[in-house]
Amino acid sequence: DVPGRVDAAGKDGAADARVVINVYDVRGRLVRSLVDRRMQAGPAEATWDGRSDTGVNVSSGIYFLRMITGQERHTRKMVLLR
């Protein structure tokens, strides 16, 4: 599992915000939607278990985590080793 922490408030200090966290492969294809909901400000956690949206274990490789909160967008590279 790949844990991660998010802060729904972001830098703008909003009371709450819609948070979207997705995992993409190196070709830019959506692999897994982890979060897509309105969240109250403050820390939260999201975990990816290495599976696709269909429940299939994905292969080892490089993946990208894309997080959108309010006006902020962040992308992080991850390496999944099986």
Side-chain angles (χ1 to χ4, degrees):
D1 292 353
V2 180
R5 295 189 181 275
V6 298
D7 189 345
K11 293 178 184 171
D12 59 8
D16 64 359
R18 179 172 176 233
V19 176
V20 177
I21 302 175
N22 292 323
V23 177
Y24 297 89
D25 66 13
V26 293
R27 290 184 167 177
R29 295 177 296 199
L30 178 65
V31 173
R32 181 82 180 259
S33 294
L34 297 177
V35 176
D36 187 355
R37 67 179 180 268
R38 195 153 195 85
M39 297 177 70
Q40 291 188 1
E45 291 188 20
T47 302
W48 180 43
D49 60 4
R51 296 177 190 259
S52 69
D53 274 337
T54 60
V56 175
N57 283 330
V58 299
S59 60
S60 295
I62 296 173
Y63 294 88
F64 295 91
L65 179 93
R66 178 85 166 152
M67 180 176 76
I68 302 170
T69 60
Q71 300 299 318
E72 295 184 46
R73 287 159 171 61
H74 302 280
T75 303
R76 298 289 182 261
K77 183 166 66 170
M78 303 182 292
V79 177
L80 179 65
L81 299 174
R82 295 231 178 247

